[in-house]
C-alpha cells in the first residue's frame, strides 16, 4: 500500500472549520483515499472516501488535489465531539487491507 | 452500518495464560479482521478471518500465538495465547461487506492488560 503523511497534531477552536491535510505522493490510479477517525476509547469510525472528485457527506467534505498527490478532510464546524485521531488511508477498491499510519490528533478548544 | 459487539471489553490476565476475544456482528458480512493497537500507537492488522478456512496472517503474526476461528458469517474469535506483558494492547475486530466492500466498521475493542 502507498504511504500517507499527516501532521502529528492540530488544534482548532469550536465552531470553526478544520482542514486536515494528507500527502500521498506515491498514490496509484486505483487507490481510493479513505478517512477514518478514532474517538477516545473507541474503535475507528468511517468518515469519508473518494477517488478523484471532491466528496461531501453529513460528517465532512473531502477535497482531492487534481494530481491526487494530496487531499484535505474538511470539518465545516468543529465541535468538542470531533476531538479524535484522524487517519488518512489509501486502499485499492478490491483490496481488503487497511494500513493505518500514525494519524493526526485533533484537539478542539471550547 | 453494522453493530459489532466485542467481549470482553477489558481484562487483566496473568502471564502464561490465554484469552479468547469474541466478535459478534448483527448481520452477515463478507470479511472480518482483527487488529492490535499497542499503547499510544496506531492500529496494526493481525489477520483476516476467513469463513470456513484458516485465517490469513500478516507478517509478524503467527497462528500458534493468535489462533482465529470464524465458524459463520457473523462471528469470529481471536485467542491471545501464552500471554506476556508485551501482549498488553487493545484488540479490535472489524468487518466489511455490509454496505460496501470499501468501508470497514470497527468494534469498540478489548483492552487487555497482562501482568
Amino acid at each position: 500500500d502507498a504511504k500517507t503523511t499527516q501532521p502529528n497534531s492540530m488544534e482548532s477552536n469550536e465552531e470553526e472549520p478544520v482542514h486536515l491535510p494528507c500527502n500521498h505522493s506515491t498514490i496509484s490510479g486505483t487507490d481510493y483515499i479513505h478517512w477514518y477517525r478514532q474517538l477516545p476509547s473507541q474503535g475507528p469510525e468511517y468518515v469519508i472516501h473518494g477517488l478523484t472528485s471532491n466528496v461531501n457527506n453529513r460528517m465532512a467534505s473531502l477535497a482531492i488535489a487534481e494530481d491526487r498527490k494530496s487531499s484535505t478532510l474538511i470539518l465545516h464546524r468543529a465541535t468538542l465531539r470531533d476531538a479524535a485521531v484522524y487517519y488518512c488511508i489509501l486502499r485499492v477498491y478490491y483490496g481488503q487491507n487497511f494500513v493505518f499510519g500514525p494519524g493526526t490528533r485533533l484537539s478542539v478548544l471550547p | 452500518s453494522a453493530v459489532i459487539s466485542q467481549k470482553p471489553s477489558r481484562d487483566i490476565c496473568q502471564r502464561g495464560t490465554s484469552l479468547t476475544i469474541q466478535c459478534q456482528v448483527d448481520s452477515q458480512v463478507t470479511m472480518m479482521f482483527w487488529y492490535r493497537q499497542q499503547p499510544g500507537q496506531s492500529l496494526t492488522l493481525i489477520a483476516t478471518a476467513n469463513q470456513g478456512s484458516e485465517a490469513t496472517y500478516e507478517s509478524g503474526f503467527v497462528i500458534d500465538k493468535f489462533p482465529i476461528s470464524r465458524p459463520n458469517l457473523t462471528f469470529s474469535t481471536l485467542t491471545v495465547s501464552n500471554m506476556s506483558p508485551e501482549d498488553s494492547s487493545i484488540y479490535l475486530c472489524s468487518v466489511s461487506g455490509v454496505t460496501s466492500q470499501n468501508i470497514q466498521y470497527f468494534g469498540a475493542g478489548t483492552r487487555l492488560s497482562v501482568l
Side-chain angles (χ1 to χ4, degrees):
Chain A
D1 294 297
K3 188 174 179 178
T4 62
T5 304
Q6 300 177 251
N8 291 333
S9 62
M10 291 185 63
E11 218 172 64
S12 172
N13 293 318
E14 196 175 10
E15 297 190 3
E16 290 188 355
V18 182
H19 291 235
L20 297 163
C22 181
N23 288 319
H24 29 77
S25 58
T26 60
I27 191 171
S28 72
T30 53
D31 283 335
Y32 278 72
I33 301 161
H34 293 252
W35 284 82
Y36 281 69
R37 72 179 185 181
Q38 188 172 20
L39 303 172
S41 300
Q42 295 189 25
E45 65 174 348
Y46 168 79
V47 178
I48 201 167
H49 77 284
L51 183 62
T52 56
S53 304
N54 294 344
V55 184
N56 300 295
N57 66 21
R58 62 175 180 81
M59 290 182 69
S61 296
L62 175 60
I64 302 172
E66 196 169 333
D67 63 6
R68 299 206 331 122
K69 292 185 177 182
S70 66
S71 61
T72 302
L73 179 71
I74 302 166
L75 307 179
H76 295 286
R77 287 186 67 194
T79 68
L80 296 179
R81 193 193 174 277
D82 291 322
V85 178
Y86 287 78
Y87 299 100
C88 170
I89 304 164
L90 302 183
R91 182 167 172 262
V92 175
Y93 183 79
Y94 290 110
Q96 299 299 334
N97 294 347
F98 280 123
V99 178
F100 282 81
T104 296
R105 182 174 298 276
L106 175 66
S107 301
V108 180
L109 306 177
Chain B
S1 66
V3 177
I4 301 168
S5 301
Q6 272 189 246
K7 292 181 181 179
S9 59
R10 59 177 61 228
D11 207 342
I12 301 173
C13 299
Q14 296 296 320
R15 181 195 301 260
T17 62
S18 298
L19 176 71
T20 296
I21 302 168
Q22 298 180 359
C23 178
Q24 179 75 55
V25 191
D26 67 344
S27 58
Q28 293 186 345
V29 295
T30 309
M31 307 293 292
M32 296 184 78
F33 307 92
W34 287 98
Y35 288 82
R36 181 175 73 182
Q37 187 169 28
Q38 295 178 300
Q41 303 295 314
S42 186
L43 283 77
T44 301
L45 181 65
I46 297 172
T48 302
N50 301 311
Q51 195 262 329
S53 64
E54 196 170 281
T56 304
Y57 290 84
E58 298 299 303
S59 176
F61 298 96
V62 295
I63 187 171
D64 290 346
K65 177 67 176 177
F66 298 101
I68 289 170
S69 77
R70 190 177 172 193
N72 56 51
L73 294 177
T74 63
F75 185 78
S76 178
T77 66
L78 168 75
T79 299
V80 185
S81 302
N82 188 25
M83 288 184 285
S84 67
E86 292 71 35
D87 294 319
S88 298
S89 292
I90 299 171
Y91 293 86
L92 296 120
C93 169
S94 78
V95 304
S96 69
V98 179
T99 55
S100 162
Q101 294 288 0
N102 222 3
I103 297 174
Q104 285 196 8
Y105 298 94
F106 287 80
T110 296
R111 186 178 297 270
L112 172 62
S113 297
V114 183
L115 304 179

